[in-house]
Amino acid sequence: MRRRTFIASIPAAAWLPTIAGARTGTIGAAASASPGQSGPSQPAMSDAAPLPPVWKPGNDRFIRPDVRAGDRPVGATFASRTAAYGLNGAAGTAHPLATQAGIDILKLGGSAVDAAIAINACLGFLEPTSSGIGGDAYAMIWDPKAKAVVGLAGSGASPHGLSLETVRARSRNGALPPLGALSVSVPGAVDAWWTMHKRYGKLPWADLFQPAILHAEAGAPVPDIIAYYIRRSMAAFAKPGSGIEETANALRTYGLADGKGPSAGGVFRNPDLARTYRAIAAGGRDAFYSGEIARTIDRYFKRIGGWLSATDLAAHRSEWITPNTTDYRGTTVHALGANTQGLATLQMLNILERFDLEGAGFQSALSIHLQAEAKRLAYEDRGRYYADPHFAKVPVEWLISKDYAAERAKLIRTDRLLTPIHPGQAPSHGDTTYFSCADKDGLMVSMIQSNFRGMGSGLVADGLGFMFQDRGQLFSLKDGHPNLYAPGKRPFQTIIPGFATRGGAPWMSFGVMGGDMQPQGQAQIILNCVDYGLEIQSAGDSPRWHHEGSSQSMGEDSPGLGPTGLLRLESGVPLATRKRLAEIGWTIGDPEGGFGRYECVERRMDGDTRVYAAASEMRADGCALAY
């Protein structure tokens, strides 16, 4: 592949000098853009009526609850736009430049897996708040030859040299700390890319990294939401008592000159990551897991007193797994098991299938009440049973069975909350980025990748340009729990891709990012499409709910939320619905941005012609494209 083919994604002024010195040099530190200046206030009118507050240009936020989006001539009133349509391929990601890179790869003849790898590499630079090669990755892939959905688990294990006794001695309030070396597990993303490419790749491995390398060297303006989260993470890392063994590398890599991070629209560069990508492009997965990168990681953790080692990296392998499924009103919904929370989506849908949600009404109090109660029941089981199946026997078949769902559904009342709430009794034998893409041959990829909470652990190895995940925080320290910490064990995972088929054919490759919001968000997307007939763009733009709190927390729930937790509603939920939910007994929380971020590629048929539709909602800075 010729690098000049990426001119659609990178301005000529950026990529021409980069190509000329591609093998010899790097670009220096980024210059942070100046923050916007507030404009003068508008003069007051002589009208006696009180005036609304003036919005000064440059203000970070402008909130007027009485102001809604403009009127669309077609479609749902709350939809932000129409899905993008194409015949040959599609991609939706959380950053426009990553989406463009994926489309470029598809146009060059690459497969959807090739595009997914290129997208993920770009996002590791463009969206470091949610992704990077210091984290794990999961995928579900529609294989048109096999006519089946296949799953890939790229989840790393805890260090073999870190004992349960050491973890408990250094834990805080009975839980692993959210930052620092104790929370680090083996990064699985690069091996997941390699494993996918060996089976489904078409273009040379090295070509897939060129867009990300060029962006990292030339620099890219940082979108508002990503800039906000980088700056928030930098402040958390630099805070006294953070528990991070070493912060200088993170602040140098992401903090820019002032150590605070880029402003919205400011240009960010990461030449260290570009060099790391060049090594991986040239040496494959072995460059990361047994080459100089692995040795650098080993030296770094020895230097700071951590535990991740070259031996841990060398032992890592991704695994192909068969997704679990359930039928929801004629739609087959697929979810990964392994050590993820994917089962929760299926459990919620199985419970909700027992109720007439269409009759309850879209965005009604009854509909949201039933959904939130199903979430509470499923998450009790999530906190009690989900774990690495290589270490614990997870009663998967029982958890996702229709009979068990019928039992749980009987507990729900339409006029009040279930209290207390407990996990089922099993039989005795028994901050994330998402993206989707599809190609001209019918291959569809649903992929999710994350460093977990925030940007990760706060640790960046010397000169490598990426942060290590803090996924280990989700281990349990309770004796007898299936997710109890152990050396060489994979922690419970929140990241889950989504996939749905109909009649044995692919329908939607989709996902909703965001910790414990992911099964809740996935279920809401399916309900919006199946029960309420929304198309994929309005299904994502529809107002969401997010329930927090569980007696069986897996490290995601906030403490002190009471027996029924907190039900957060986006501002678009009708006021009458809010009032009725409060009357039923829900504690209503303010929207705080934790409602996930959604991408989707849908396969449609117009007679004998396949049409792709791609959607990306307004809660992220991304976009969806098709061609």
Side-chain angles (χ1 to χ4, degrees):
M1 181 186 65
R2 299 176 181 176
R3 291 177 184 160
R4 65 173 179 269
T5 56
F6 289 102
I7 61 174
S9 302
I10 304 172
W15 62 262
L16 280 174
T18 304
I19 292 173
R23 297 184 181 276
T24 58
T26 58
I27 295 176
S32 179
S34 299
Q37 300 296 319
S38 297
S41 300
Q42 297 178 9
M45 299 175 64
S46 58
D47 196 337
L51 294 174
V54 174
W55 178 30
K56 296 181 179 181
N59 282 6
D60 289 336
R61 303 185 70 190
F62 182 44
I63 300 176
R64 284 284 302 279
D66 57 328
V67 178
R68 290 291 184 265
D71 298 327
R72 286 177 54 79
V74 296
T77 57
F78 48 82
S80 59
R81 56 190 173 275
T82 301
Y85 297 104
L87 297 176
N88 299 298
T93 85
H95 196 292
L97 294 180
T99 302
Q100 291 177 43
I103 295 294
D104 284 345
I105 288 290
L106 293 174
K107 287 182 176 180
L108 287 169
S111 70
V113 161
D114 291 329
I117 295 168
I119 285 169
N120 203 170
C122 284
L123 290 171
F125 162 68
L126 297 166
E127 194 195 20
T129 53
S130 299
S131 58
I133 55 174
D136 289 341
Y138 285 84
M140 283 195 285
I141 301 168
W142 172 261
D143 185 331
K145 293 182 179 178
K147 295 183 178 180
V149 177
V150 298
L152 180 70
S155 174
S158 58
H160 286 81
L162 178 59
S163 68
L164 174 60
E165 292 71 25
T166 299
V167 170
R168 280 182 164 153
R170 299 180 181 231
S171 65
R172 299 179 180 180
N173 300 317
L176 276 79
L179 299 170
L182 206 68
S183 68
V184 175
S185 51
V186 173
V190 173
D191 186 72
W193 299 351
W194 180 262
T195 304
M196 292 166 59
H197 185 260
K198 294 294 286 184
R199 180 179 290 191
Y200 295 109
K202 288 186 175 180
L203 296 181
W205 167 262
D207 291 354
L208 309 182
F209 292 86
Q210 299 312 311
I213 291 169
L214 295 176
H215 283 310
E217 290 180 340
V222 182
D224 297 40
I225 293 176
I226 295 172
Y228 167 75
Y229 282 116
I230 291 178
R231 294 175 73 85
R232 195 169 81 167
S233 293
M234 291 302 103
F237 297 153
K239 187 177 181 180
S242 68
I244 306 173
E245 290 82 355
E246 182 273 327
T247 59
N249 286 354
L251 295 175
R252 182 183 69 83
T253 302
Y254 302 107
L256 303 185
D258 63 359
K260 295 181 179 180
S263 300
V267 178
F268 173 64
R269 300 178 178 88
N270 192 341
D272 287 348
L273 182 61
R275 284 192 295 270
T276 298
Y277 278 163
R278 288 190 184 280
I280 296 170
R285 56 91 59 202
D286 289 346
F288 188 93
Y289 293 96
S290 58
E292 183 55 34
I293 296 172
R295 291 188 286 272
T296 299
I297 292 171
D298 187 272
R299 290 192 296 267
Y300 174 72
F301 278 93
K302 283 184 169 63
R303 176 168 73 81
I304 67 170
W307 297 271
L308 187 64
S309 70
T311 302
D312 296 319
L313 293 163
H316 175 74
R317 293 294 184 278
S318 301
E319 61 176 345
W320 293 104
I321 58 178
T322 300
N324 299 289
T325 63
T326 195
D327 178 86
Y328 183 75
R329 309 193 203 278
T331 293
T332 301
V333 181
H334 303 250
L336 295 183
N339 51 323
T340 81
Q341 62 177 340
L343 299 178
T345 301
L346 306 186
Q347 287 193 255
M348 289 178 64
L349 293 174
N350 282 342
I351 293 170
L352 291 169
E353 192 178 32
R354 313 292 299 185
F355 299 93
D356 179 11
L357 291 181
E358 181 182 1
F362 176 66
Q363 290 291 323
S364 70
L366 177 57
S367 178
I368 294 177
H369 169 71
L370 293 172
Q371 294 174 51
E373 287 287 69
K375 176 269 177 183
R376 291 178 67 211
L377 288 165
Y379 275 51
E380 292 298 305
D381 291 337
R382 166 185 177 264
R384 172 63 183 86
Y385 296 112
Y386 295 12
D388 185 349
H390 295 302
F391 283 75
K393 184 172 179 56
V394 183
V396 174
E397 293 78 10
W398 169 73
L399 287 168
I400 63 173
S401 69
K402 298 291 187 179
D403 288 343
Y404 178 57
E407 293 177 13
R408 300 294 269 175
K410 290 177 183 177
L411 301 174
I412 297 177
R413 297 292 178 265
T414 59
D415 60 345
R416 62 183 184 273
L417 274 67
L418 174 59
T419 303
I421 191 166
H422 301 290
Q425 184 63 45
S428 60
H429 59 274
D431 261 271
T432 297
T433 197
Y434 172 84
F435 48 94
S436 177
C437 46
D439 64 29
K440 60 182 177 58
D441 297 319
L443 189 73
M444 298 176 69
V445 179
S446 177
M447 189 163 177
I448 198 158
Q449 202 265 306
S450 174
N451 284 359
F452 186 46
R453 194 187 303 276
M455 290 182 68
S457 64
L459 298 172
V460 176
D462 303 325
L464 294 185
F466 66 87
M467 186 170 292
F468 292 94
Q469 64 186 350
D470 53 351
R471 186 66 61 179
Q473 186 198 0
L474 290 185
F475 276 117
S476 172
L477 294 181
K478 181 180 178 180
D479 284 332
H481 195 285
N483 189 43
L484 175 67
Y485 176 86
K489 182 178 181 178
R490 297 177 299 176
F492 167 72
Q493 280 275 6
T494 56
I495 58 175
I496 50 170
F499 210 100
T501 58
R502 283 177 167 172
W507 174 35
M508 291 199 313
S509 170
F510 74 104
V512 178
M513 314 163 224
D516 72 325
M517 179 63 196
Q518 293 177 58
Q520 301 180 58
Q522 286 190 4
Q524 289 175 66
I525 294 297
I526 292 293
L527 299 181
N528 284 342
C529 292
V530 174
D531 292 282
Y532 299 118
L534 300 182
E535 47 77 35
I536 61 169
Q537 183 63 52
S538 56
D541 287 335
S542 172
R544 293 191 191 132
W545 59 268
H546 175 208
H547 181 266
E548 302 174 16
S550 171
S551 69
Q552 301 286 322
S553 175
M554 286 290 252
E556 281 285 273
D557 296 315
S558 301
L561 295 180
T564 60
L566 188 66
L567 181 62
R568 296 190 185 273
L569 303 173
E570 285 195 299
S571 58
V573 173
L575 292 177
T577 295
R578 294 170 174 272
K579 181 180 178 181
R580 177 56 185 152
L581 287 168
E583 291 173 350
I584 292 174
W586 290 102
T587 301
I588 307 299
D590 294 330
E592 35 62 85
F595 296 94
R597 296 168 296 153
Y598 155 85
E599 313 287 344
C600 178
V601 171
E602 178 189 28
R603 171 193 175 273
R604 304 179 179 182
M605 295 302 296
D606 184 10
D608 294 331
T609 303
R610 180 182 58 234
V611 177
Y612 288 125
S616 178
E617 39 116 309
M618 74 291 196
R619 298 173 187 84
D621 289 322
C623 72
L625 296 173
Y627 77 103

